[in-house]
Structures are given as structure tokens and as C-alpha cells.
Amino acid sequence: MSPVLLIIIAATAIISYIAFSNHAMFEKYKFNVGAILRNKEYVRLISAGFLHADFMHLVFNMMTLYFFGPIVIQAFGAYGFLLVYFGSILLGNIFSLYLYKNQSWYSAIGASGGVSGILFTSIAMIPDLGIYFFFIPIAIPGYIFGFAYFAYSVYMMLNPKQNDNIGHAAHLGGAFFGLIYAVALQPERAIENALFLGIMALPLIYMAYMVFVKKKIG
């Protein structure tokens, strides 16, 4: 396994673990709209990716990164992996900042934006990549999983629930970065997989229309 991947997983695990019991550290580095816009604390756009709500949140993200990170490293190298991972965290949080700029209280944490970017870079490269969801013993084709993931995330983002603590905007922004990166660097493969990618991207097109044209924000 790539040393770069192991370093990212180890660093995220260690920092998250420390922050579990260090409330001041957690508050200082989490994504918070008010702190970023009012106090110019832009480091939070990246540092939030090293914090997690609890142990299960951390384990789920790092396991996903562990399984799909090697695909991105094999296709684009260690530097490409780092660009996708941190670019996805950054774009996911910037998208969240855009959506919730008038809600200074809005906060979020987690590497999910970066993990989503890695996952969807992998799917863009291999649309029929088999993905196992929780304990279902049957692999779901990547583009079907991607369509369902985007559809669910877009719906929940536009129709937020009171007890939903998931940063859907960060997930979508990160996944979008991963897709665009793969398409831009492997256009021939993207053309070959255009039908699969088009199906998967339908919810994103709807989201773009609702957010940027209709100005609907959940």
C-alpha cells in the first residue's frame, strides 16, 4: 500500500482521536460559516477534514479511503491522489460555505468530502466497479451506486431533516471534484464511459438547476 495513503489515514485517525477529548481543538478547527466569513479562518476549510464526530464516523471514512485510495493512486499517482483528496475536501467545504453563507451557525466536520472525491474518481475510471453496501452480499455497479448516492444527497440537501447531521453539500462538492478530475485527465476513458457517467450525473444536473437557477437552498 502507498505510504502516502497510510500517512493520510494515520494522521486523520490520530488528530480525530485527540480532538474527541479536546473540545477547544475541535471547536477551533471545525468548519464553521461564521468563523470562516467573519474571522477569515480559512484553515477550517481543510482542517475540518481531520476531525470526526465519533469513532464510527472515523472508521467508516478511513475504511472507504483504504479500499478506494489505491485505485486513484494507481491511475494518477500519489500526487494525483493528494490533489483529489484535498481538492475534494476544499471544494466540498466551499460549496457548503456558498450554500449556508447566511447561516453563521452552520458547522460541519469529517473527511467525507475528500473520501467522496476518491470514491467517485474511482467510479469515473471504472463505472462498473463493484461496490458492497454495508452487509449486502451482492456488489452494486459503481454507476448505479453513484446515481443513488447523488439522488439521495441532493434530495436531503434540498429537503433537510431536523435530525439529519450529515453534510450532504460537502459530499456532493467532493464527489463532483473527483468526477471532474478523472474526466479531465482521462478524457478518452470518459468518452468510453459517457453513458454511465451521464446516468450517474443526472441528480447533479438537477441540483445545479435548483441551486444556481432556482436559488433553492435547503
Side-chain angles (χ1 to χ4, degrees), residues 2-20:
S2 169
V4 171
L5 177 58
L6 290 178
I7 289 171
I8 292 296
I9 291 175
T12 304
I14 291 170
I15 294 171
S16 293
Y17 180 77
I18 294 172
F20 286 157

Side-chain angles (χ1 to χ4, degrees), residues 5 8-9 12 48-52 57-70 72 81-90 92-93 109-123 131 145 149-150 170-179:
L5 177 58
I8 292 296
I9 291 175
T12 304
F50 289 92
L51 304 174
H52 287 81
H57 185 204
L58 171 64
V59 169
F60 183 81
N61 272 340
M62 293 304 99
M63 283 186 63
T64 305
L65 192 61
Y66 177 85
F67 286 118
F68 292 96
V72 178
F81 167 81
L82 290 173
L83 180 58
V84 171
Y85 186 67
F86 287 108
S88 297
I89 290 176
L90 184 61
N93 284 331
I109 39 86
S112 299
V115 172
S116 294
I118 294 297
L119 173 60
F120 279 90
T121 301
S122 301
I123 293 175
I131 295 178
F145 171 85
Y149 180 95
F150 284 144
H171 292 187
L172 289 166
F176 177 77
F177 185 94
L179 280 177

Side-chain angles (χ1 to χ4, degrees), residues 88-112:
S88 297
I89 290 176
L90 184 61
L91 184 61
N93 284 331
I94 289 175
F95 185 46
S96 296
L97 193 65
Y98 170 79
L99 287 179
Y100 306 114
K101 58 182 177 292
N102 296 321
Q103 301 177 29
S104 61
W105 51 266
Y106 183 87
S107 298
I109 39 86
S112 299

